[in-house]
Amino acid sequence: MFKEVIKYFRQISMIPRGSGNEKGISDYLVTFAKTHGLSYIQDKNLNIIIKRPAAEECKEKDPVILQAHMDMVCEKTEDSLKDLSKDPVDLIFFKKTRDGKQKTVDPDDPDAVSKALSENNLFLTADRTTLGGDDGIGVAIALALLSDKELSAPPIEFVCTVSEETGMIGASKIDLSELQGKKLINLDSDDEGYFMLGCAGGGLVKVSHPAERTFPDTEPDDLEALRITLEGLTGGHSGSCAASGRANAIYELFKVLKDVISSVRFRLLYLTGGGKDNAIPRSAEAHIVFRRENKDKITDIVTKDAKELKEKYKETDPDLDLHYTEEAYEVHLDAKVGGNLLNARLITDKGKETPVPEEVLTPILYENTRDFISLVLALPNGLISMMKSDNPLMKDLPETSLNLGIIELARDKFSLGYLVRSQSEKGYSSLTAQMKEIAKSAGASYSVSGEYPAWEYTGETEFYRELAALYEKMYGKKPIPVVIHAGVECGLMIDRISGCEAVSIGPDMNDIHTTEETLDISSSERVYDFVRAYLSGGEELS
């Protein structure tokens, strides 16, 4: 029953499961398998394989692989107090009213839930955080099917991986030799009725530039600090939104810093932005130290850039806000014992003294600051190219892109984290080679990890046609085959399972990887019904 899907999704949402923090959810899946008498494998990386044996009347049928990932992207709004490394996701079930507003639905009221589902009007979001529908709903659907005692089905092999969101690390390391199935249904798509037959490959690129911290021979009273903040951006999935034109907070902030440093010398004191390589950063900020006499020049530049950015991104990022904190920040400087090196000890934020992290006690050299700003802007970012193909599946599809998703400033280095994507190995290799050369010429280090192959489209398979025929029989319309500019684990799976055919499906979801993420529960019910009907051989439709 579909109510089991909702039950499992609610249970999953109680367990912190950001990428790299999957011990709790992995152990939950082990407990699930034990509770239902199913065999399982939990590997050292916390990947899980659960096997359900065939029903007596289906023993001669071939196994079917269901596949999803257990981790989620963890983002929150500026005013959220949640710590998703240890706190649950607060779910909000709602339906849409005629005037477009949201009306809360009590998930523990079966009549209210049934009524909303019958009206195709039940949705789910989270309170000021990402929801984790990607791919919590895929996991919940699989668990509901595995535990369904009334389901007459062939052997089901459920593969649930870790760290999909940070380079498909789990899928690249899992041992699939125990699997017998050759037909794989991936449950990690976000458009109902669209059957995915291909996706981009990619990898994580890290560029690091050295940073030296000293303080100028300047009287403390001659120095001042400002915080320059860019926030309120829309963000989004760095693959599916690659051609959206949305602003990247880190990259746009560095354009502002470039404008400032072209006119006024300053040093970086502190820098932060982004946090997930596969999410377009929604905010970034830089703390800079400069001579007090240059303050007006800096604030004038920031004010001018704020107006220009607001106009440039008024359609894609209507809430964009670039501003500086003027009077709220001071730098208190104390002479270091045994020398004349000065340290920034405290930053006063609206009267509240806040210790500066130890690693940023002194500002970065001007030369390092200047060179790092130049490096960030010399490296490409965003959409690189679109597909050139007569195939309608490739129309309006990005070919190659990259997302500057993480920036860090430690004691002795700056670090940049990118997710590079391409529909082809040639496009990926060309872009990463270009990045390596730019980094090398700037005296920066370069590394790549978490690479995964593209799932290249080779045409409609027999498995796809089988699923498509059932979908049309159930819903009176043909599914639409698609290729996407994002990564799912099918490429890694079919490369290591000889003769395997894969199709990726899923319910409607909007704004994944953002705090506006919304899951269509009515759509999820239809996807669940479809997979259940396929596993039962379509007998429930006859």
Side-chain angles (χ1 to χ4, degrees):
M1 297 292 289
F2 179 69
K3 66 180 181 181
E4 295 296 294
V5 177
I6 296 179
K7 180 189 79 173
Y8 286 121
F9 190 89
R10 293 178 71 185
Q11 291 180 2
I12 290 167
S13 299
M14 294 297 295
I15 305 170
R17 53 189 176 90
S19 303
N21 184 31
E22 297 104 340
K23 181 68 165 61
I25 185 65
S26 182
D27 288 347
Y28 165 88
L29 294 172
V30 169
T31 300
F32 168 88
K34 291 179 177 179
T35 300
H36 292 89
L38 304 175
S39 64
Y40 69 92
I41 300 171
Q42 181 184 46
D43 68 18
K44 64 180 182 180
N45 299 302
L46 302 177
N47 293 302
I48 295 286
I49 296 175
I50 299 175
K51 293 187 176 184
R52 169 181 153 146
E56 186 63 33
E57 61 275 18
C58 299
K59 288 187 177 295
E60 300 303 316
K61 294 184 178 181
D62 295 329
V64 176
I65 303 170
L66 302 180
Q67 198 264 316
H69 64 86
M70 66 183 81
D71 62 314
M72 65 175 281
V73 170
C74 296
E75 294 283 343
K76 65 179 183 178
T77 59
E78 299 289 337
D79 62 340
S80 173
L81 300 179
K82 280 283 182 182
D83 180 354
L84 291 180
S85 68
K86 59 183 180 182
D87 296 332
V89 174
D90 291 336
L91 302 178
I92 301 173
F93 289 81
F94 69 93
K95 62 181 181 180
K96 297 178 180 178
T97 61
R98 291 181 178 179
D99 57 0
K101 296 181 180 179
Q102 296 182 3
K103 183 177 180 180
T104 302
V105 174
D106 181 358
D108 294 316
D109 183 341
D111 292 336
V113 171
S114 296
K115 186 175 187 297
L117 283 171
S118 67
E119 297 170 346
N120 291 322
N121 189 16
L122 184 60
F123 301 88
L124 181 58
T125 190
D127 182 13
R128 294 173 292 172
T129 70
T130 39
L131 171 65
D134 174 16
D135 187 26
I137 190 60
V139 177
I141 288 173
L143 297 185
L145 293 167
L146 288 167
S147 61
D148 188 345
K149 295 181 179 180
E150 298 180 3
L151 174 61
S152 176
I156 300 174
E157 301 173 320
F158 176 46
V159 180
C160 197
T161 55
V162 300
S163 300
E164 186 271 352
E165 300 289 5
T166 52
M168 303 191 188
I169 296 171
S172 68
K173 295 181 178 181
I174 190 170
D175 181 359
L176 303 176
S177 62
E178 295 293 320
L179 298 182
Q180 301 298 314
K182 302 296 183 182
K183 295 178 178 179
L184 186 152
I185 300 176
N186 172 279
L187 298 168
D188 191 22
S189 288
D190 56 12
D191 281 305
E192 183 194 354
Y194 290 80
F195 284 17
M196 191 193 307
L197 299 177
C199 71
L204 305 176
V205 170
K206 185 173 183 178
V207 176
S208 297
H209 189 282
E212 182 178 349
R213 294 181 180 272
T214 63
F215 215 84
D217 294 328
T218 304
E219 291 296 324
D221 290 343
D222 291 336
L223 296 172
E224 190 161 343
L226 287 178
R227 175 177 62 177
I228 303 174
T229 304
L230 179 57
E231 60 187 357
L233 277 64
T234 304
H237 188 284
S238 65
S240 59
C241 298
S244 68
R246 295 178 184 178
N248 179 305
I250 299 173
Y251 200 72
E252 294 299 333
L253 178 63
F254 267 75
K255 289 181 181 178
V256 176
L257 296 177
K258 179 66 173 179
D259 288 345
V260 174
I261 207 166
S262 296
S263 299
V264 177
R265 290 172 68 101
F266 70 83
R267 298 187 180 203
L268 279 167
L269 178 65
Y270 182 65
L271 184 65
T272 185
K276 308 295 179 184
D277 49 63
N278 59 355
I280 301 173
R282 302 174 66 246
S283 64
E285 67 177 49
H287 299 208
I288 63 173
V289 179
F290 52 89
R291 289 181 179 272
R292 189 179 300 275
E293 65 196 46
N294 291 323
K295 180 177 180 180
D296 288 345
K297 290 182 181 179
I298 294 173
T299 57
D300 286 348
I301 291 171
V302 175
T303 300
K304 176 182 70 69
D305 285 359
K307 293 179 180 178
E308 293 176 357
L309 282 171
K310 192 72 174 176
E311 176 64 23
K312 180 179 179 181
Y313 292 106
K314 62 183 179 182
E315 299 296 333
T316 59
D317 299 82
D319 297 323
L320 180 151
D321 181 22
L322 172 68
H323 61 274
Y324 58 87
T325 308
E326 186 173 357
E327 297 179 354
Y329 272 75
E330 297 177 23
V331 175
H332 297 260
L333 304 166
D334 299 319
K336 188 173 183 179
V337 177
N340 59 8
L341 180 64
L342 300 176
N343 294 313
R345 296 296 187 188
L346 295 171
I347 290 181
T348 302
D349 186 354
K350 298 181 180 178
K352 180 181 178 182
E353 291 191 343
T354 305
V356 178
E358 180 182 355
E359 67 269 18
V360 293
L361 287 178
T362 55
I364 300 297
L365 279 175
Y366 162 75
E367 290 78 10
N368 287 164
T369 298
R370 177 199 62 202
D371 292 347
F372 185 61
I373 293 171
S374 296
L375 172 60
V376 171
L377 298 179
L379 287 163
N381 183 68
L383 180 66
I384 302 301
S385 62
M386 299 290 289
M387 291 291 293
K388 298 176 181 178
S389 173
D390 294 331
N391 191 314
L393 269 66
M394 307 297 181
K395 184 180 179 181
D396 300 325
L397 180 70
E399 178 184 29
T400 303
S401 73
L402 73 165
N403 178 60
L404 172 53
I406 303 172
I407 191 165
E408 297 174 344
L409 175 53
R411 176 183 291 276
D412 59 355
K413 67 179 179 180
F414 303 91
S415 296
L416 303 169
Y418 294 84
L419 176 53
V420 180
R421 304 178 190 268
S422 185
Q423 305 299 132
S424 68
E425 174 60 31
K426 180 179 179 181
Y428 174 78
S429 298
S430 175
L431 181 54
T432 51
Q434 177 191 1
M435 296 176 72
K436 184 176 182 179
E437 185 59 34
I438 292 171
K440 181 180 179 182
S441 64
S445 64
Y446 168 95
S447 63
V448 62
S449 63
E451 292 180 301
Y452 55 93
W455 175 22
E456 296 193 21
Y457 174 68
T458 58
E460 296 181 0
T461 64
E462 182 60 34
F463 182 39
Y464 165 78
R465 288 189 285 270
E466 184 181 359
L467 290 173
L470 175 62
Y471 188 87
E472 185 175 11
K473 182 178 180 181
M474 289 182 68
Y475 299 118
K477 57 183 179 181
K478 295 180 179 180
I480 301 172
V482 295
V483 177
I484 67 166
H485 189 65
V488 296
E489 294 159 306
C490 295
L492 283 165
M493 297 289 172
I494 63 177
D495 272 1
R496 291 150 60 202
I497 303 174
S498 178
C500 183
E501 297 180 1
V503 174
S504 180
I505 64 174
D508 290 332
M509 280 186 277
N510 293 319
D511 298 313
I512 59 174
H513 298 184
T514 79
T515 55
E516 304 301 316
E517 182 180 358
T518 303
L519 170 65
D520 187 331
I521 298 297
S522 301
S523 173
S524 301
E525 181 178 35
R526 291 188 292 273
V527 172
Y528 163 79
D529 288 343
F530 171 72
V531 179
R532 192 177 192 280
Y534 175 76
L535 293 172
S536 69
E539 293 179 3
E540 297 176 359
L541 303 179
S542 56

